């Protein structure tokens, strides 16, 4: 079994948030944009959990 690979890093910055990929690409969000994204993800959490459950290769519980 392969080890877990870190695909991206999330950093909280002085101006908001940055998502950095392992390839060197980045997305930057202001604090307001980051909070809007957080709200969207919270609203979609049940659907995302279901998708993750269906896609998992081995039976591992996902705890958030």
């Amino acid at each position: 079994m392969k080890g877990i690979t870190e695909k991206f890093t999330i950093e909280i910055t002085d101006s908001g948030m940055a998502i950095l990929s392992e390839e060197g690409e980045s997305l930057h969000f202001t604090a307001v944009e980051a909070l809007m994204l957080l709200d969207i993800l919270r609203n979609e959490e049940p659907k995302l959990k279901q998708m993750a459950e269906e896609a998992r290769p081995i039976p591992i519980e996902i705890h958030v």
Side-chain angles (χ1 to χ4, degrees):
M1 184 168 126
K2 290 184 177 180
I4 296 174
T5 302
E6 186 174 298
K7 296 193 178 234
F8 60 89
T9 303
I10 297 174
E11 294 181 355
I12 302 301
T13 65
D14 290 338
S15 61
M17 180 182 79
I19 300 176
L20 312 166
S21 76
E22 62 183 4
E23 293 88 20
E25 298 173 350
S26 62
L27 290 171
H28 297 272
F29 299 89
T30 65
V32 171
E33 292 168 336
L35 288 172
M36 288 171 49
L37 177 59
L38 178 60
D39 186 52
I40 291 166
L41 290 172
R42 282 185 176 151
N43 287 327
E44 297 297 331
E45 184 177 5
K47 183 177 180 181
L48 291 169
K49 281 184 176 181
Q50 180 63 37
M51 291 167 51
E53 183 76 22
E54 292 170 0
R56 69 182 183 179
I58 55 175
I60 298 173
E61 287 294 320
I62 299 173
H63 299 279
V64 180

